Amino acid sequence: MKLAKSYFADQRTDDLNEIGQGLPRSDVPGHVTGKTTYFADRTFPGMLYLRMVRSPHHHARIKNVDLSEAEKHPGVHRILTHKDIPHNLYTILILIQVGPEDEHVLAEDKVRWRGEAVVAVLADSERAANEAAAKVKVEYEVLPDVLDIDAALAPGAPIVNEHHGQNYYMYDSGQSRKVRYGDVDKGFAEADHILEQTYYSSPIEQAPMETTGCIVTPDGNDRFTCYTNTQAMFFTLDNTSIILQMPGHKLHMVGGTVGGGFGGKVDVTVEPIAILAAKLTGRPVSFIYSRYEEMQVSSPRAAEKIVLKDGVMKDGRIVARQVWGYTDAGAYSRHSPYGAQKGAAHYPGPYTIPNVWVDTWCVYTNRTPSSAMRGFGVTIADFALEVQMDKLARLIGMDPLEFRFINAYRDGDMKAHRQPTSGAALIECMQEASRVANWPVAEKYLGMSSYKEV
């Protein structure tokens, strides 16, 4: 890493102890010597193993659940259904007033995605739990499904999630999160060229080496300790408290090292049911996703569809940008309404554009619920934006890096969501990148500054 001190020298102090230094991670010795303790390294006498019976259908009505054969299987201790869950309807972001509650811990009348949990089996061994789960008989009435954004928004499409009433999330701004700045129609009318392109992405699984899971022990006095690899400790604590209708001081969450998360372990999917199982049985409970479950039913990055329409002048100035962004939430909200909202703020990109119109939609489909992954709501947006920037540069016959210099925002520029730019340093980053990459740009661009003209 190089610390380029020539930039902003009049604003710089040289008392930095971390930036620009090659410092070892504090957890490396434990990792390389095998001394790091993960949640699954713990074992307790009398521990039960929890396995889920999951839907084989994308969308179906549950007509009957027969537990009789499973309950007789050797080693089975208890089987839980939705009737055992104190508050079986939740959504993770209700903690920050993003509702409505739209997801069940265990399915009740319907399943809305292939892999949705229906019944939880508790047994003395993993093998017994798996064998008993295979003996649970669920009678389904298969329903029409929608498996992509366009199908979900088509007229007459089957409703994925009745808690919303339509196949998209309703923001306080309506059916989409909106950004309006300037007069985009006027900008397009003035533009020398207009380019409209559509970009798609597929779901991406985080694929951590350590699968999602937790181990719960009953501590007496209706208190429980949950050893978990969650990335969102307080979301987990508070949502579990709501779902189980238990005060938070009865729940002791123990985190620590996460064996790979990348955003995939922020959802509250294992802890509430495992704690409830420990409460109802009085025994320690282990609920750890198999590799198959991790790859098939844990929350991936959302599939997205992005339509970008830009108006550009012959001299390289972008004068109008219109964006329609669609996030595939899957069957339930989880973190997707927030991810789509982040996209709305981000779609203008790091560029000063006088006329902007953005609509971002959070769309429900009968797919695995999506959630956080590495800058979700922004990462795929950046891919689409920067590919679009290259296409615009080629359209007007301009070098793509010089095209970005012309449009890059600088300190004092107003962003489309009406926040003034400060501390941008974008011009300087591109200047340094051009030197490192040996990418020649005109001298006038090397003389630009993010905070003053020179």
Side-chain angles (χ1 to χ4, degrees):
M1 178 184 293
K2 173 185 176 183
L3 183 60
K5 293 187 176 182
S6 59
Y7 296 107
F8 306 106
D10 58 333
Q11 302 178 26
R12 182 181 301 282
T13 60
D14 288 322
D15 57 354
L16 302 176
N17 298 316
E18 304 291 336
I19 295 177
Q21 306 298 317
L23 300 176
R25 285 174 54 116
S26 61
D27 56 1
V28 164
H31 291 351
V32 300
T33 60
K35 293 181 179 179
T36 299
T37 299
Y38 295 84
F39 86 93
D41 291 328
R42 298 173 175 87
T43 184
F44 300 93
M47 189 156 68
L48 298 174
Y49 297 85
L50 189 153
R51 282 293 176 266
M52 287 293 186
V53 176
R54 298 184 179 277
S55 167
H57 305 294
H58 296 289
H59 194 200
R61 185 169 289 107
I62 299 172
K63 300 186 70 175
N64 185 56
V65 179
D66 182 357
L67 306 178
S68 58
E69 290 300 314
E71 289 173 331
K72 291 185 290 186
H73 190 80
V76 170
H77 197 76
R78 183 159 182 164
I79 299 178
L80 306 181
T81 70
H82 69 88
K83 297 176 182 178
D84 296 297
I85 314 296
H87 184 72
N88 195 40
L89 188 64
Y90 78 106
T91 191
I92 294 164
L93 293 183
I94 201 71
L95 303 174
I96 55 173
Q97 292 78 53
V98 177
E101 293 181 309
D102 70 348
E103 182 169 3
H104 300 91
V105 178
L106 295 176
E108 294 188 14
D109 58 331
K110 290 177 67 176
V111 289
R112 297 174 174 86
W113 58 284
R114 182 176 180 177
E116 182 162 6
V118 180
V119 171
V121 176
L122 291 157
D124 292 326
S125 68
E126 291 184 67
R127 178 175 178 175
N130 284 323
E131 290 173 347
K135 292 184 176 182
V136 173
K137 299 176 182 177
V138 184
E139 182 183 355
Y140 295 101
E141 176 191 346
V142 178
L143 301 172
D145 55 43
V146 289
L147 299 178
D148 61 56
I149 289 166
D150 291 336
L153 295 179
I159 296 296
V160 172
N161 191 322
E162 292 80 359
H163 296 295
H164 295 276
Q166 65 282 318
N167 287 339
Y168 50 83
Y169 182 82
M170 285 295 292
Y171 292 93
D172 53 13
S173 57
Q175 59 195 15
S176 62
R177 178 55 79 204
K178 299 174 173 33
V179 175
R180 302 289 186 265
Y181 184 70
D183 186 338
V184 75
D185 291 332
K186 180 174 180 290
F188 284 127
E190 295 173 348
D192 293 318
H193 301 278
I194 296 175
L195 177 66
E196 180 175 325
Q197 300 281 279
T198 301
Y199 302 89
Y200 295 91
S201 70
S202 298
I204 303 172
E205 163 59 32
Q206 297 86 352
M209 288 197 296
E210 178 196 45
T211 62
T212 300
C214 68
I215 293 174
V216 178
T217 61
D219 299 335
N221 195 28
D222 203 32
R223 295 172 66 91
F224 301 87
T225 296
C226 178
Y227 302 95
T228 173
N229 58 9
T230 180
Q231 291 180 261
M233 185 64 74
F234 289 98
F235 266 22
T236 299
L237 171 62
D238 291 345
N239 275 286
T240 301
S241 178
I242 292 170
I243 290 166
L244 301 184
Q245 298 290 281
M246 293 177 64
H249 70 269
K250 296 284 189 179
L251 305 171
H252 180 202
M253 299 288 175
V254 179
T257 299
V258 176
F262 323 112
K265 292 175 180 172
V266 300
D267 293 328
V268 187
T269 55
V270 294
E271 295 87 359
I273 191 69
I275 292 172
L276 178 63
K279 181 176 183 177
L280 294 177
T281 62
R283 291 171 62 173
V285 172
S286 170
F287 181 19
I288 304 175
Y289 279 5
S290 66
R291 177 55 58 184
Y292 176 86
E293 286 177 303
E294 186 65 45
M295 297 299 292
Q296 296 296 319
V297 306
S298 65
S299 299
R301 182 198 295 281
E304 296 185 45
K305 174 184 176 182
I306 301 166
V307 182
L308 284 172
K309 180 180 178 182
D310 283 317
V312 63
M313 306 302 291
K314 294 176 181 177
D315 62 8
R317 290 176 294 118
I318 302 173
V319 293
R321 170 163 288 172
Q322 190 162 13
V323 185
W324 298 268
Y326 304 89
T327 297
D328 187 340
Y332 297 113
S333 294
R334 298 198 181 172
H335 288 80
S336 293
Y338 170 59
Q341 176 163 306
K342 287 201 299 179
H346 196 75
Y347 277 119
Y351 306 110
T352 298
I353 303 173
N355 305 292
V356 174
W357 174 300
V358 178
D359 284 303
T360 58
W361 300 61
C362 174
V363 182
Y364 298 101
T365 66
N366 294 113
R367 296 172 74 165
T368 305
S370 61
S371 194
M373 181 186 179
R374 294 280 179 169
F376 70 113
V378 170
T379 311
I380 302 302
D382 273 336
F383 159 76
L385 290 175
E386 294 309 318
V387 172
Q388 182 85 348
M389 291 294 286
D390 285 350
K391 291 180 178 180
L392 289 168
R394 288 198 295 270
L395 179 65
I396 61 173
M398 182 174 287
D399 176 87
L401 188 55
E402 294 184 349
F403 179 64
R404 287 168 169 83
F405 273 109
I406 291 171
N407 291 286
Y409 58 31
R410 309 191 204 181
D411 287 10
D413 288 348
M414 187 62 69
K415 299 177 183 178
H417 52 284
R418 291 174 172 78
Q419 291 294 317
T421 302
S422 63
L426 179 56
I427 295 293
E428 290 72 18
C429 284
M430 290 194 295
Q431 289 168 344
E432 190 65 20
S434 70
R435 295 186 178 101
V436 171
N438 293 316
W439 189 291
V441 296
E443 192 62 34
K444 66 177 180 179
Y445 300 116
L446 297 177
M448 293 173 64
S449 168
S450 286
Y451 70 97
K452 62 182 180 181
E453 295 290 347
V454 294

